């Protein structure tokens, strides 16, 4: 009996085992070495977006040596993860190419971005200005408007006084005036009513006893300081006193009772924030020419 006959059974078992091992090895190699597009681990989201929205992409393919993203709009990327933006609406096929062999595609729908229609109704032009001011005071008028052409008539001269969006005018005479504003946006003008109070200047009046003249200055000064203390228009009353009595000197000395001397601007600035102040009396001191107040003595309380 020869060798094969003696070991037939063992030989058959060995051949079968070898074939089985070879099959397992082939299966393992197919899993570890031989790949396909199904082995690509990539993601693109969202699949539906609008122009300008963010598209995120990410690849976690373990066996990849090289990778390239093709976004279908002429742009590519070699990054594993990142973001992309589409500038035009449409249907795009995003491709992930691994090792220049395996490709996986992701459909992406890009919609036009919704744009809220512009309101065809333009904002109505209005005038921003005080309703009361003093004679000879610089009054500010501002057009709240989208217009580009303006024509102001302040009611005193009868003429067009300004063509600027922000206009400043000083009334020469007291009275009630109707301000008129014309723009190219409307055939109808816009109106604003303003009352101009007389500017009293006792320093320039004649035929008044000196004592009465000083008292009128003191009383007028007291009145406007009290208006500031009451929270009324700071600029109107402050500028009136500054221009009428102080010869525009903001550093004029102000002495309040037994307190430390201060300048006029700092005193008035503090006065508008110091609540419930009552100005009891004011005494002004004039220069040698009796033209300008050089010092103001004030008694006040709360």
């Amino acid at each position: 009996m020869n060798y094969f006959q003696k070991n037939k059974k063992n030989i058959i078992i060995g051949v079968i085992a070898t074939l089985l091992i070879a099959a397992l090895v082939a299966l393992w190699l197919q899993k570890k070495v031989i790949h396909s597009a199904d082995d690509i681990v990539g993601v693109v989201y969202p699949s539906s977006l609008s122009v300008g929205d963010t598209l995120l992409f990410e690849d976690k393919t373990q066996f990849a040596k090289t990778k390239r993203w093709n976004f279908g709009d002429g742009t590519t990327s070699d990054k594993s993860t990142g973001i992309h933006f589409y500038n035009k609406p449409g249907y795009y096929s995003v491709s992930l190419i691994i090792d220049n062999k395996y490709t996986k595609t992701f459909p992406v729908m890009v919609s036009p971005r919704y744009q809220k229609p512009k309101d065809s109704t333009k904002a109505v032009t209005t005038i921003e200005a005080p309703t009361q001011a003093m004679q000879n005071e610089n009054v500010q008028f501002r057009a709240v408007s989208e217009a580009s052409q303006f024509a102001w008539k302040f009611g005193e001269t009868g003429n067009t006084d300004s063509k600027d969006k922000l206009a400043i005018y000083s009334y020469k005479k007291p009275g009630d005036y109707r301000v008129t504003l014309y723009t190219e946006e409307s055939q109808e003008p816009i109106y604003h009513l303003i009352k101009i109070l007389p500017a009293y200047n006792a320093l320039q009046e004649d035929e008044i006893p000196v004592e009465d003249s000083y008292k009128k200055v003191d009383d007028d000064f007291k009145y406007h300081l009290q208006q500031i203390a009451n929270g009324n228009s700071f600029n109107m009353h402050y500028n009136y006193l500054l221009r009428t009595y102080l010869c525009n000197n903001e550093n004029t000395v102000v002495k309040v009772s037994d307190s430390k001397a201060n300048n006029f601007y700092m005193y008035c600035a503090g006065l508008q924030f110091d609540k419930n102040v009552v100005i009891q009396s004011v005494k002004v001191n004039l220069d040698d020419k009796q033209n300008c107040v050089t010092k103001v003595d004030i008694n006040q309380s709360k």
Side-chain angles (χ1 to χ4, degrees):
M1 184 178 291
N2 59 28
Y3 177 82
F4 178 76
Q5 292 176 331
K6 289 182 179 181
N7 298 281
K8 181 178 180 180
K9 183 178 182 179
N10 292 333
I11 292 172
I12 293 174
I13 293 174
V15 171
I16 294 173
T18 301
L19 292 174
L20 181 60
I21 292 173
L24 292 174
V25 170
L27 182 62
W28 180 84
L29 288 173
Q30 184 178 9
K31 291 293 184 181
K32 294 297 182 179
V33 179
I34 303 174
H35 301 288
S36 68
D38 294 334
D39 299 322
I40 296 177
V41 184
V43 63
V44 171
Y45 56 97
S47 58
S48 297
L49 66 161
S50 299
V51 172
D53 288 347
T54 302
L55 179 76
L56 296 96
F57 61 89
E58 184 176 16
D59 173 53
K60 293 184 178 180
T61 304
Q62 296 296 324
F63 67 85
K65 295 180 181 179
T66 63
K67 63 191 67 178
R68 184 174 76 256
W69 291 92
N70 189 326
F71 299 105
D73 60 351
T75 61
T76 61
S77 175
D78 296 330
K79 296 181 180 179
S80 295
T81 182
I83 60 176
H84 183 70
F85 302 96
Y86 286 100
N87 297 322
K88 296 180 179 180
Y91 177 83
Y92 296 89
S93 180
V94 180
S95 301
L96 173 58
I97 304 170
I98 299 297
D99 296 340
N100 292 321
K101 293 182 180 180
Y102 316 109
T103 302
K104 188 172 184 178
T105 60
F106 308 86
V108 175
M109 176 61 71
V110 181
S111 303
R113 176 166 292 279
Y114 172 74
Q115 293 183 349
K116 184 178 179 181
K118 294 183 179 179
D119 189 357
S120 58
T121 304
K122 293 185 178 180
V124 178
T125 297
T126 59
I127 296 175
E128 186 178 275
T131 57
Q132 182 174 292
M134 302 296 296
Q135 178 185 4
N136 299 320
E137 176 188 358
N138 288 331
V139 185
Q140 181 174 287
F141 298 87
R142 187 171 75 91
V144 182
S145 174
E146 296 179 359
S148 58
Q149 298 178 4
F150 307 91
W152 294 90
K153 291 185 176 182
F154 297 115
E156 187 174 38
T157 65
N159 301 321
T160 298
D161 300 295
S162 176
K163 293 186 178 181
D164 297 322
K165 186 173 185 178
L166 176 64
I168 297 177
Y169 186 79
S170 176
Y171 286 91
K172 305 300 184 294
K173 297 179 181 180
D176 295 319
Y177 294 92
R178 185 174 75 165
V179 178
T180 306
L181 171 63
Y182 297 90
T183 71
E184 84 278 8
E185 292 187 333
S186 174
Q187 294 181 352
E188 297 297 325
I190 300 93
Y191 298 106
H192 176 80
L193 299 179
I194 185 169
K195 184 178 184 65
I196 303 300
L197 302 176
Y200 171 72
N201 188 350
L203 298 179
Q204 297 177 354
E205 289 196 357
D206 299 326
E207 300 180 359
I208 298 178
V210 175
E211 294 78 5
D212 292 344
S213 177
Y214 285 172
K215 185 177 186 306
K216 288 185 177 182
V217 174
D218 293 341
D219 291 343
D220 192 44
F221 215 104
K222 173 184 173 183
Y223 167 78
H224 289 282
L225 288 180
Q226 188 64 60
Q227 293 303 306
I228 295 175
N230 292 344
N232 294 323
S233 175
F234 176 85
N235 288 335
M236 183 177 76
H237 297 286
Y238 175 82
N239 290 329
Y240 170 78
L241 292 174
L242 188 68
R243 181 181 61 251
T244 305
Y245 299 115
L246 305 183
C247 298
N248 293 316
N249 182 13
E250 294 183 320
N251 293 316
T252 300
V253 176
V254 175
K255 189 75 167 55
V256 181
S257 302
D258 296 328
S259 301
K260 184 179 179 180
N262 205 345
N263 66 45
F264 180 69
Y265 172 77
M266 295 302 296
Y267 169 73
C268 291
L271 189 63
Q272 64 177 332
F273 299 108
D274 196 1
K275 304 299 182 182
N276 302 320
V277 170
V278 176
I279 309 297
Q280 296 177 329
S281 65
V282 173
K283 183 67 177 177
V284 300
N285 297 277
L286 301 173
D287 59 12
D288 294 337
K289 295 182 180 180
Q290 305 293 296
N291 291 328
C292 302
V293 172
T294 57
K295 182 182 178 185
V296 184
D297 291 300
I298 300 172
N299 285 320
Q300 65 185 40
S301 63
K302 287 188 177 182

